[in-house]
Amino acid sequence: MIKISDFQVKDVVNVSNGKKLGHIADLEINLNTGKIEALIIPGPGKMLGFFARESDIVIPWRNIVKIGTDVILVRYMDAQDASEYIKEPFDQLKK
């Protein structure tokens, strides 16, 4: 069995680009099923969990690739990554 405090000390890393997203600050739990729905990582510039809740990174449980001893690997694509992914094929057509 694993405790929430065990999760909080692990680095969360995006497998799409290798970028460290941070540490888990909170969990979303479905009260009807008792299952974890998502991991919540504080967004950039947050101090002690205050301010700008909308800048939090929410990783759905289904996007967790692997939970290791020191790292949690996740699939996460933010708006900036998505815009570059979509833009790329069009840029190739211009050449």
Side-chain angles (χ1 to χ4, degrees), residues 17-37:
N17 58 14
K19 188 187 288 186
K20 179 181 168 187
L21 299 174
H23 294 277
I24 296 170
D26 208 351
L27 301 172
E28 284 185 9
I29 299 174
N30 183 322
L31 295 178
N32 294 325
T33 63
K35 294 183 179 182
I36 298 173
E37 296 284 326

Side-chain angles (χ1 to χ4, degrees), residues 71-92:
V71 175
I72 299 173
L73 300 176
V74 299
R75 281 192 178 84
Y76 175 72
M77 186 180 293
D78 62 8
Q80 182 181 2
D81 291 340
S83 67
E84 288 190 19
Y85 177 77
I86 292 169
K87 191 175 12 172
E88 215 171 78
F90 296 114
D91 290 343
Q92 291 174 358

Side-chain angles (χ1 to χ4, degrees), residues 6 9 22 44 48 53-55 64 67:
D6 294 335
V9 296
L48 304 171
R53 175 84 176 161
E54 65 275 356
S55 70
I64 296 175
I67 299 174

